[in-house]
């Protein structure tokens, strides 16, 4: 699935730091073997996540929605030496693939990979985060935001993926997932505790900074 015109996406990728070998292999395997491979963050968005992580040098990161681990590998790039990435997913069938690539990327010992429902796991995490990435079931975006907000340091970032939802957020008669994303975007827009920007990167990334 292309969220940008193909020639613009190809041009952008040509002028973006290339995928390393592990990410390139993971990208290929995901598209060859895994159902709904478009859920993979991919080259452009992955490099964006790497850059953000390297800029803020997080001690702890929370990712809600692991899939095959591409974004986890990218997010881990800026972790402090003793930092940890906590990543949550409900799909146990992808665990073997994900763990294989976390190991290949050399970060398995810095990642806590948690299988289960995020709404049940997040309250059990007695951790303060510098960076949170939300990329899971859309109906729960607002709930995830509320659950993690007090666990984020002042000055920390929350990133939420798919907030444009293939442009459905500006079309008439939105379905339930689209309505949930519209509600989330409105929630962010009206929250005085933060500053934020909606980036039309891939399928839309909401970048939120806690004041």
């Amino acid at each position: 699935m292309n969220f940008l015109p193909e020639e613009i996406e190809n041009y952008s990728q040509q002028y973006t730091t290339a995928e390393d070998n592990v990410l390139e292999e993971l990208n290929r395997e995901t598209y060859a073997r895994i159902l709904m491979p478009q859920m993979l963050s991919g080259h452009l968005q992955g490099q964006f996540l790497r850059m953000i992580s390297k800029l803020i040098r997080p001690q702890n990161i929370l990712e809600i929605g692991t899939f095959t681990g591409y974004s986890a590998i990218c997010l881990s790039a800026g972790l402090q030496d003793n930092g940890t990435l906590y990543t949550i997913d409900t799909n146990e069938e992808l665990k073997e693939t994900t763990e294989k690539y976390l190991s290949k990327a050399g970060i398995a010992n810095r990642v806590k990979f948690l299988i289960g429902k995020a709404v049940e796991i997040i309250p059990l995490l007695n951790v303060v985060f510098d960076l949170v990435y939300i990329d899971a079931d859309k109906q729960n975006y607002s709930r995830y935001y509320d659950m993690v907000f007090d666990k984020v340091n002042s000055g920390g970032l929350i990133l939420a993926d798919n907030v444009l939802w293939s442009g459905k957020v500006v079309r008439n008669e939105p379905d339930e997932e689209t309505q949930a994303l519209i509600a989330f975007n409105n929630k962010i827009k009206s929250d005085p505790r933060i500053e934020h920007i909606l980036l039309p990167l891939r399928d839309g990334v909401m970048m939120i900074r806690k004041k």
Side-chain angles (χ1 to χ4, degrees), residues 123-140:
L124 304 178
L125 299 177
N126 187 22
V127 183
V128 178
F129 297 100
D130 305 297
L131 177 59
V132 174
Y133 183 50
I134 302 173
D135 186 16
D137 52 309
K138 310 313 165 190
Q139 281 99 333
N140 274 319

Side-chain angles (χ1 to χ4, degrees), residues 50-58 78:
R50 287 174 66 95
M51 294 280 275
I52 291 295
S53 182
K54 287 186 174 185
L55 284 168
I56 67 173
R57 297 286 293 151

Side-chain angles (χ1 to χ4, degrees), residues 54-68:
K54 287 186 174 185
L55 284 168
I56 67 173
R57 297 286 293 151
Q59 174 69 45
N60 292 303
I61 302 171
L62 173 62
E63 178 184 46
I64 305 171
T66 313
F67 194 46
T68 54

Side-chain angles (χ1 to χ4, degrees), residues 85-156:
L85 186 149
Y86 298 76
T87 185
I88 305 170
D89 204 281
T90 58
N91 191 347
E92 193 164 4
E93 293 181 1
L94 296 177
K95 189 172 185 286
E96 183 178 348
T97 299
T98 302
E99 289 182 336
K100 177 176 71 174
Y101 281 97
L102 294 177
S103 180
K104 285 190 173 191
I107 62 168
N109 64 333
R110 310 181 72 194
V111 176
K112 292 188 181 299
F113 185 20
L114 308 169
I115 298 293
K117 295 181 179 179
V119 293
E120 297 175 356
I121 292 173
I122 292 170
L124 304 178
L125 299 177
N126 187 22
V127 183
V128 178
F129 297 100
D130 305 297
L131 177 59
V132 174
Y133 183 50
I134 302 173
D135 186 16
D137 52 309
K138 310 313 165 190
Q139 281 99 333
N140 274 319
Y141 266 37
S142 291
R143 190 174 181 186
Y144 294 145
Y145 177 75
D146 289 337
M147 294 180 78
V148 303
F149 193 85
D150 289 340
K151 296 178 181 289
V152 175
N153 277 316
S154 295

Side-chain angles (χ1 to χ4, degrees), residues 16 40-58 61 63 65 69-79 85 131-135 157-161 199 201-202 205-207:
T16 298
L40 187 93
S41 291
H43 182 195
L44 290 178
Q45 188 165 332
Q47 183 61 18
F48 170 75
L49 296 176
R50 287 174 66 95
M51 294 280 275
I52 291 295
S53 182
K54 287 186 174 185
L55 284 168
I56 67 173
R57 297 286 293 151
I61 302 171
E63 178 184 46
Y70 193 104
S71 52
I73 293 170
C74 294
L75 287 165
S76 71
L79 271 174
L85 186 149
L131 177 59
V132 174
Y133 183 50
I134 302 173
D135 186 16
L157 293 181
I158 301 172
L159 304 174
D161 193 20
L199 299 168
L201 171 64
R202 196 167 177 265
V205 176
M206 184 72 82
M207 178 184 286

